[in-house]
């Protein structure tokens, strides 16, 4: 057995732990085992939504988004027409992918947007931002073929999308005072940086959801419990400090020493003006120390923070269709949209 096979995985993942047997800390899954480990745990959830793709204007060209709007029930339609129905909360959602990958179809974008919209009776706008080329030089899969993308272009894209949603809230059936921003992994970084930029502009989002985010270009040291968890799940914890630094420099296009708070939010000079924030970290995730340390930083600045730990899962659990812990993370976001 390997340490990863012995880790205290969530029940659905534990049933696949045999795929990890014999792996050392530096080993990778075979392509066949990788496919089996990542396979869906069930069918996608069913929600009654209108889903529309459109292109929004941005400073660097079009910004593709996908808009998820719950359909009104028959009772609601009889009680009030669209002009008088209460405005819904809204979420601008940003997928992950290391700033180099990801799209509107990946589960972390599409299934999460569907799941949160349905759970919360909220409008969700999922954003595709321009991606960076890989460090190897492989061009990014941008829709219009753009290459050579670096910060601040991805943040400019999501800022343009959020601004459009706020300005067109009535058209979307959304409440302009209740628009949250959220994202996962690299998207969590962009969501946090967008919150900072909007707050610096004097109009912060209603709240922020940062799901297993990367908030630092220099990874904080894990605490004792985090170190034990990461050792137990090797090699699936991923994200050694050097790889995080390379990812960060690929995103910024500059040496890591020149990164700013609009690129990695832990570097910002102030955080006290940020909105209430949910940070959801995964137990077996090399980025977990970054999310935990950023939560502590926000709390020290007086920001209302909810730090949630998704136990028994590695990085990217929102990409796992049918996983109970992914549903629980969507429940957390939906609860905040409904109840705040």
């Amino acid at each position: 057995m390997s340490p990863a096979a012995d880790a205290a995985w969530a029940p659905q993942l534990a049933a696949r732990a045999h795929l990890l047997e014999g792996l050392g800390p530096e080993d990778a899954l075979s392509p066949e085992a990788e496919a089996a480990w990542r396979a869906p745990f069930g069918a996608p959830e069913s929600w009654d939504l209108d889903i529309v793709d459109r292109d929004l204007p941005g400073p660097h060209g079009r910004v593709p988004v996908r808009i998820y709007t719950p359909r009104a029930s028959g009772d609601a339609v009889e009680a009030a027409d669209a002009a008088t129905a209460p405005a819904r909360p809204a979420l601008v959602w940003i997928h992950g992918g290391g700033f180099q990958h990801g799209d509107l179809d990946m589960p972390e974008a599409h299934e999460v947007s569907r799941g949160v919209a349905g759970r919360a009776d909220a409008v969700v706008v999922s954003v595709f931002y321009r991606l960076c080329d890989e460090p190897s030089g492989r061009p990014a899969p941008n829709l219009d073929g753009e290459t050579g993308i670096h910060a601040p272009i991805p943040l400019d894209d999501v800022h343009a999308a959020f601004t459009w949603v706020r300005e067109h809230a009535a058209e979307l059936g959304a409440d302009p005072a209740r628009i949250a921003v959220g994202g996962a992994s690299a998207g969590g970084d962009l969501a946090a940086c967008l919150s900072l930029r909007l707050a610096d502009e004097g109009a912060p989002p209603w709240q922020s959801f940062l799901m297993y985010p990367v908030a630092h270009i220099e990874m904080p040291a894990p605490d004792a419990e985090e170190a034990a968890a990461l050792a137990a799940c090797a090699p699936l914890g991923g994200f050694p400090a050097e790889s995080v630094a390379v990812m960060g420099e690929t995103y910024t296009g500059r040496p890591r020493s020149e990164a700013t708070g609009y690129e990695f939010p832990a570097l910002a000079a102030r955080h006290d003006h940020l909105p209430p924030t949910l940070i959801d970290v995964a137990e077996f995730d090399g980025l977990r120390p970054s999310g935990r340390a950023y939560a502590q930083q926000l709390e020290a600045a007086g920001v209302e923070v909810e730090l949630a730990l998704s136990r028994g899962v590695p990085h990217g659990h929102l990409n796992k269709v049918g996983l109970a812990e992914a549903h629980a993370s969507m429940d957390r976001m939906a609860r905040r949209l409904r109840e705040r």
Side-chain angles (χ1 to χ4, degrees):
M1 298 287 285
S2 65
D6 287 335
W9 295 108
Q12 289 165 289
L13 289 169
R16 301 181 180 182
H18 65 279
L19 298 167
L20 312 177
E21 291 181 8
L23 292 181
E26 305 301 323
D27 294 334
L29 289 167
S30 69
E32 297 78 14
E34 178 82 12
W37 178 259
R38 294 182 178 276
F41 292 90
E45 295 180 303
S46 178
W47 298 101
D48 191 18
L49 307 169
D50 288 320
I51 302 175
V52 177
D53 287 348
R54 66 182 298 173
D55 290 336
L56 304 184
H60 308 287
R62 65 179 179 130
V63 180
V65 300
R66 186 169 293 166
I67 303 171
Y68 302 76
T69 307
R71 293 181 180 137
S73 67
D75 291 343
V77 170
E78 291 178 7
D81 61 26
T84 60
R88 293 179 164 106
L91 171 64
V92 175
W93 179 251
I94 308 167
H95 66 80
F99 305 105
Q100 302 156 50
H101 308 101
D103 55 38
L104 298 181
D105 295 322
M106 65 190 293
E108 192 178 78
H110 185 60
E111 298 304 333
V112 170
S113 296
R114 292 175 67 248
V116 173
R119 283 170 168 79
D121 190 35
V123 177
V124 177
V125 180
S126 180
V127 185
F128 179 80
Y129 51 92
R130 286 167 175 79
L131 302 172
C132 303
D133 300 336
E134 295 182 9
S136 66
R138 182 178 179 181
N142 289 312
L143 299 181
D144 293 323
E146 300 99 326
T147 60
I149 299 296
H150 299 292
I153 291 174
L155 182 60
D156 288 346
D157 285 346
V158 298
H159 182 276
F162 187 95
T163 301
W164 184 92
V165 171
R166 183 177 269 168
E167 292 175 349
H168 293 80
E171 173 188 334
L172 298 172
D175 181 349
R178 292 190 297 155
I179 303 175
V181 62
S185 192
D189 171 271
L190 288 169
C193 293
L194 178 58
S195 291
L196 281 164
R197 181 165 160 183
L198 292 168
D200 287 347
E201 293 169 353
W206 172 40
Q207 50 183 322
S208 296
F209 306 152
L210 313 180
M211 316 303 283
Y212 42 88
V214 51
H216 301 74
I217 195 169
E218 299 277 2
M219 284 297 292
D223 63 24
E225 195 278 329
E226 291 165 346
L230 295 176
C233 74
L236 292 179
F239 300 106
E242 186 58 32
S243 70
V244 173
V246 170
M247 177 180 68
E249 291 183 343
T250 298
Y251 171 52
T252 63
R254 306 189 310 281
R256 70 191 74 170
S257 60
E258 298 178 14
T260 73
Y262 279 172
E263 294 157 350
F264 291 90
L267 298 173
R270 62 176 294 210
H271 298 91
D272 59 305
H273 55 335
L274 289 174
T277 301
L278 165 67
I279 299 180
D280 188 326
V281 297
E283 183 175 14
F284 299 134
D285 180 4
L287 295 185
R288 178 180 166 191
S290 182
R292 181 262 307 159
Y294 190 55
Q296 293 171 334
Q297 195 172 3
L298 295 187
E299 190 171 37
V303 177
E304 179 188 332
V305 180
E306 176 185 355
L307 178 61
L309 174 60
S310 292
R311 289 205 174 272
V313 296
H315 185 79
H317 65 278
L318 288 174
N319 258 320
K320 299 184 182 299
V321 176
L323 184 69
E325 286 69 23
H327 292 172
S329 291
M330 288 186 273
D331 288 343
R332 289 190 190 100
M333 290 187 277
R335 171 182 52 80
R336 293 178 66 99
L337 291 171
R338 290 194 313 268
E339 298 178 1
R340 295 190 70 84

